[in-house]
Amino acid sequence: MISHNPQSTLFAIDRHSGVLRIKSGGMLDYEKTKTHFVTVIAKDGGGNFNGKEQFLSSSATLTINVIDAQDTPPSFIGTPYFGYVYEVSVPGSEIFTVIAKDGDVGNPNPISYSFDDGDDGVFSINKTSGCITLLTLPIYLKREIFNIKVRASEVSPEGRLMDYGVTTVVIRVVDLNNNPPTFYGENGPQNMFELTMYEHPPEGEILRGLKITVNDSDQGANAKFNLRLIGPGRMLRVVPQTVLNEAQVTILVEDSAAMDYEKHHFLTYKLLAVEIDTPERFSATADIIIHLLDTNDNAPKFSSDYYIARIPENSPGGSNVVSVTATDPDSGPWGEVKYSVYGSGADLFLIQPASGIIYTQPWASLDAEVRSKYNFYVKAEDAEGKYSLAEVFVTVLDLNDHPPAFNDNFLEKTMVIGAPVKIEAVDDDAEVPNNVIEYAIMKAEPDNNIFDINASTGEIMLKSYIKSMAIIQNITKQRDFTWSLVVQARDRGQPSFSTTAVVKIDITEATQLKGGPLGSFLMQGRNKPLQILGILAGVISLMVIVTVIISTATFMRNKKSNRILPNRRVRRRPRKQHTWNFKNPFKAPENAGEKFRVEEEEREPEVIVENVNHNNNVVRNWPPPPPPCAPSLPPPPPPYIPGQRQWAIPTSSTTVAPKPKKKPVITRQDSVNKALVSELKMRLEQKRILEHR
């Protein structure tokens, strides 16, 4: 029998003959187990020994060696297989070597290698060694990846191919980053591009004169790069910004205003291409030069918005006034400026069209006393009519060319003690100090010690200690109070001019002027009758105009107010004949009290109103209204008591007019109300009479 072990499952033994066999369905496999160990046990049929039944047995171990047979195909070692073809490879370069062994290792057969599929005729394999080589240049490879089927076959001793195995070899064509980006023009590689164009092109316009192509001969990630434009400002922009292998370069205008010929006659940019995902970071540059052409895009501009000039009066015609300057940054004829003047104040001035010098007309005569200020506009214009304006202010400087002048060289004045008299001279010069006048008394007859004069105003007054005519008489020892003064009026200009006038002054006291203020006025103006008549005529005209306006307004108001009044007849008593009492304004009152006497106001005539509208109403006796009250008179002046101090009579006399009686204002509404009340009373009386009947 066979003892139980894992290997005894493949074998069986005959119980009687002891023949060891392989079990039915079992198979020895050299590749799995090369040696089997089997233990065989021999056992007798048993018998009685010492009264007991006893079985005897013995065992033996059999070693069974399995002999290998050719039943296993070859197998490849180190799969999967990957090979690479580089762009620098040459025909005959080894790409990869495959290794295969016979599965029957006990008695292996030699292996032969061959391609089944996928080599495209560009690769070859050594039949014995399994080395794969390249047959052509990499640029002729049509694919980047090749999947080649390689067969390993057993070769019998007779040289016949027997069992085989197949595997796949993946060969990838690898690009080396050995080509930087390159810029191309119309005639091949180029690293400088030039263009001529006008300034200020429209934004977004393509610079079509630049025909640029960029290329990287590498493949895949090695051919991916960025484009950048480096230069002044951000006037231009390049598209595309990322390129794979090859692209047409387009440059666009981004800031039109900055492309100004007056600032840059030409622009220089660098176009830069830099690889992105390579360790080498290869790059290339190209210079782009843009020449700008000028256009008339600027108007002339003055150096100032306004010009201020001063010129002395009486300057001869053709005198220079001021020079204006305007510049036009454009080139050529567009930068040439012509000047002209216009405006209401430019009639007396001309300008040189090329130089901008403003001068007076040949016939012009500038007089500061006639007109001292001029302003006008000057225009600077280029060849195409673009222009700008500036304002010119011209001041005519006043010269001291007019002496002071009195209205008359002989003046007559009446001086009241305590009050000054004024003389006045006029200087026709336009500005200070030429028209500032100073007054001085040059000579006085018969005595020059009693007068002072205000140097600025020309007021002549007596010296402060002279209070009365008696003092003058004591000083001068004369009874004639008439003086002749020689008064000088001098201006403050350079050189200074002066003139003189003779002033005859009559000195009097305030008490000598009869008739109060009016008399004083007439005495002071007795030498000027026309002036007094003009003043009186003006006052009378003003009173007439006021009277006409008041009458017209009253008439229009009464016309518009449709009053409803009962039909009444008004009878007036004869009015006492009024006599006009003219007072002599030059007659002095007998005493001071008469000047302030209040005349009694005359009462208004009594008006009797009789109602003519007869009716049958009951007559009622209404109480009469109270008579109007006259204003009380002021208390009489105190009686004069001899021996008491006499009060001085004031220098100006006046009369206190009685206060007019204020008449009640009757409005239209009051008149209507009274009429309605009267009508209502009349109807009530008629109704009452009818009821009694």
Side-chain angles (χ1 to χ4, degrees):
M1 60 176 295
I2 299 174
S3 63
H4 297 285
N5 56 62
Q7 295 181 351
S8 62
T9 57
L10 293 176
F11 300 97
I13 191 171
D14 187 278
R15 293 172 61 91
H16 301 285
S17 62
V19 176
L20 186 65
R21 299 185 181 88
I22 297 174
K23 287 184 178 181
S24 176
M27 181 178 292
L28 298 178
D29 190 350
Y30 179 84
E31 285 71 29
K32 292 182 178 180
T33 305
K34 298 178 180 180
T35 302
H36 297 272
F37 298 96
V38 179
T39 302
V40 179
I41 300 173
K43 186 177 181 181
D44 59 11
N48 188 6
F49 178 72
N50 294 328
K52 294 182 180 180
E53 187 175 6
Q54 185 176 1
F55 295 94
L56 298 174
S57 62
S58 64
S59 61
T61 301
L62 300 178
T63 301
I64 302 172
N65 295 318
V66 179
I67 299 173
D68 190 17
Q70 295 297 327
D71 58 350
T72 303
S75 61
F76 289 93
I77 300 173
T79 58
Y81 296 138
F82 296 95
Y84 299 92
V85 176
Y86 298 97
E87 61 176 334
V88 294
S89 300
V90 295
S93 300
E94 295 184 0
I95 305 302
F96 195 77
T97 299
V98 297
I99 299 175
K101 290 184 178 181
D102 189 357
D104 301 315
V105 296
N107 187 18
N109 290 323
I111 303 298
S112 176
Y113 300 96
S114 62
F115 289 143
D116 274 358
D117 188 18
D119 62 312
D120 290 353
V122 295
F123 298 98
S124 65
I125 189 170
N126 189 295
K127 294 182 178 181
T128 303
S129 64
C131 180
I132 300 175
T133 58
L134 182 65
L135 298 179
T136 184
L137 292 173
I139 60 175
Y140 298 113
L141 300 179
K142 297 180 180 180
R143 291 187 290 173
E144 292 186 6
I145 298 176
F146 293 86
N147 294 313
I148 302 174
K149 301 285 187 181
V150 178
R151 175 182 291 190
S153 303
E154 296 182 15
V155 181
S156 65
E158 295 81 11
R160 183 168 51 86
L161 297 178
M162 300 174 59
D163 204 358
Y164 62 90
V166 178
T167 190
T168 300
V169 179
V170 178
I171 298 177
R172 183 184 298 272
V173 179
V174 179
D175 176 54
L176 293 179
N177 189 27
N178 57 349
N179 293 296
T182 305
F183 293 102
Y184 294 88
E186 294 181 335
N187 299 321
Q190 188 174 335
N191 58 4
M192 179 178 290
F193 300 87
E194 292 189 67
L195 175 66
T196 301
M197 61 182 297
Y198 285 103
E199 62 178 338
H200 304 305
E203 293 185 0
E205 181 176 338
I206 299 174
L207 303 187
R208 303 187 184 277
L210 295 176
K211 296 181 179 180
I212 306 173
T213 303
V214 64
N215 175 269
D216 191 327
S217 300
D218 294 325
Q219 300 296 321
N222 294 333
K224 189 175 183 181
F225 54 92
N226 285 336
L227 288 177
R228 287 185 294 175
L229 195 61
I230 301 173
R234 303 182 62 180
M235 307 179 199
L236 304 177
R237 179 168 56 93
V238 62
V239 291
Q241 295 184 351
T242 302
V243 179
L244 182 62
N245 289 117
E246 185 175 294
Q248 183 74 31
V249 179
T250 301
I251 296 178
L252 305 176
V253 177
E254 192 168 36
D255 188 356
S256 175
M259 300 182 67
D260 192 353
Y261 175 83
E262 286 70 35
K263 296 179 181 178
H264 313 279
H265 287 10
F266 61 90
L267 303 173
T268 301
Y269 285 85
K270 282 192 176 295
L271 184 59
L272 181 63
V274 182
E275 292 180 345
I276 301 175
D277 297 327
T278 62
E280 295 82 5
R281 303 282 290 181
F282 288 134
S283 63
T285 58
D287 294 327
I288 298 177
I289 300 175
I290 299 175
H291 299 275
L292 294 178
L293 299 178
D294 192 21
T295 60
N296 189 21
D297 59 330
N298 294 284
K301 185 176 181 181
F302 282 97
S303 58
S304 177
D305 293 333
Y306 59 91
Y307 295 87
I308 299 176
R310 295 175 177 86
I311 182 172
E313 64 176 342
N314 302 327
S315 296
S319 299
N320 290 343
V321 179
V322 66
S323 177
V324 299
T325 303
T327 57
D328 192 330
D330 293 323
S331 61
W334 296 324
E336 296 177 359
V337 179
K338 292 184 179 180
Y339 301 94
S340 60
V341 294
Y342 70 96
S344 59
D347 299 338
L348 301 180
F349 302 93
L350 296 174
I351 189 171
Q352 294 181 4
S355 64
I357 297 176
I358 299 175
Y359 57 96
T360 59
Q361 295 270 14
W363 47 264
S365 177
L366 300 178
D367 190 349
E369 289 74 39
V370 177
R371 183 175 179 180
S372 61
K373 303 289 184 181
Y374 295 87
N375 70 292
F376 51 89
Y377 291 95
V378 57
K379 179 168 71 172
E381 187 175 10
D382 63 14
E384 288 190 351
K386 291 189 176 182
Y387 67 91
S388 62
L389 301 175
E391 194 167 3
V392 179
F393 298 90
V394 179
T395 300
V396 180
L397 299 178
D398 182 44
L399 299 179
N400 193 21
D401 57 348
H402 292 86
F406 291 98
N407 293 334
D408 194 350
N409 291 332
F410 184 80
L411 304 175
E412 293 186 6
K413 298 287 183 180
T414 299
M415 176 182 289
V416 179
I417 294 179
V421 295
K422 185 176 181 181
I423 62 173
E424 186 176 5
V426 177
D427 193 321
D428 291 334
D429 289 319
E431 298 178 357
V432 295
N434 297 334
N435 58 3
V436 177
I437 300 175
E438 293 181 345
Y439 299 91
I441 298 176
M442 307 302 296
K443 184 179 180 181
E445 292 181 358
D447 195 316
N448 59 356
N449 293 326
I450 66 172
F451 294 100
D452 288 328
I453 189 169
N454 189 313
S456 300
T457 63
E459 291 183 346
I460 302 174
M461 64 199 76
L462 294 171
K463 291 186 179 295
S464 59
Y465 58 83
I466 298 177
K467 303 294 185 180
S468 65
M469 300 290 290
I471 297 175
I472 298 175
Q473 190 173 8
N474 291 335
I475 294 174
T476 61
K477 306 300 182 179
Q478 294 182 9
R479 295 184 179 181
D480 186 8
F481 299 101
T482 301
W483 268 259
S484 293
L485 305 181
V486 177
V487 179
Q488 182 191 64
R490 177 180 293 275
D491 61 27
R492 295 183 181 178
Q494 293 295 331
S496 178
F497 294 101
S498 64
T499 187
T500 59
V502 177
V503 182
K504 182 180 180 182
I505 299 179
D506 292 335
I507 303 177
T508 184
E509 284 185 325
T511 56
Q512 295 179 0
L513 294 176
K514 308 297 183 179
L518 181 58
S520 177
F521 171 75
L522 294 177
M523 287 295 295
Q524 292 182 5
R526 70 182 187 274
N527 295 323
K528 299 178 181 179
L530 295 179
Q531 181 179 0
I532 296 175
L533 292 177
I535 294 175
L536 293 178
V539 172
I540 294 173
S541 300
L542 179 62
M543 294 176 62
V544 171
I545 292 172
V546 172
T547 303
V548 171
I549 292 174
I550 294 175
S551 301
T552 304
T554 304
F555 173 76
M556 295 301 296
R557 184 185 65 182
N558 294 338
K559 183 178 180 181
K560 292 182 180 180
S561 60
N562 297 323
R563 300 183 179 181
I564 303 176
L565 299 175
N567 184 12
R568 298 194 177 204
R569 185 171 58 192
V570 180
R571 292 187 304 171
R572 297 182 180 271
R573 292 182 179 181
R575 188 172 182 177
K576 184 179 179 180
Q577 185 68 25
H578 180 73
T579 59
W580 296 92
N581 185 15
F582 293 96
K583 292 184 178 181
N584 185 3
F586 300 98
K587 181 180 180 182
E590 296 179 358
N591 54 56
E594 292 182 2
K595 295 178 62 177
F596 297 94
R597 182 173 60 84
V598 179
E599 297 181 359
E600 183 179 0
E601 181 184 1
E602 295 184 2
R603 294 186 180 181
E604 295 182 357
E606 183 180 358
V607 180
I608 300 176
V609 180
E610 181 181 356
N611 194 348
V612 185
N613 184 15
H614 300 283
N615 53 44
N616 297 326
N617 295 342
V618 178
V619 179
R620 295 180 179 271
N621 296 322
W622 299 95
C629 297
S632 60
L633 294 174
Y640 171 74
I641 301 175
Q644 291 187 353
R645 180 181 177 181
Q646 297 294 328
W647 295 91
I649 299 175
T651 57
S652 62
S653 62
T654 183
T655 302
V656 179
K659 184 178 180 181
K661 183 178 180 182
K662 186 176 181 181
K663 296 182 180 180
V665 180
I666 301 177
T667 62
R668 178 186 175 189
Q669 187 66 30
D670 294 338
S671 302
V672 174
N673 291 339
K674 290 180 181 180
L676 293 176
V677 171
S678 178
E679 188 72 19
L680 182 60
K681 287 182 179 180
M682 182 179 65
R683 291 186 181 183
L684 289 175
E685 293 295 338
Q686 291 178 355
K687 184 177 180 181
R688 187 176 298 174
I689 293 173
L690 292 176
E691 289 178 355
H692 287 293
R693 290 180 181 178

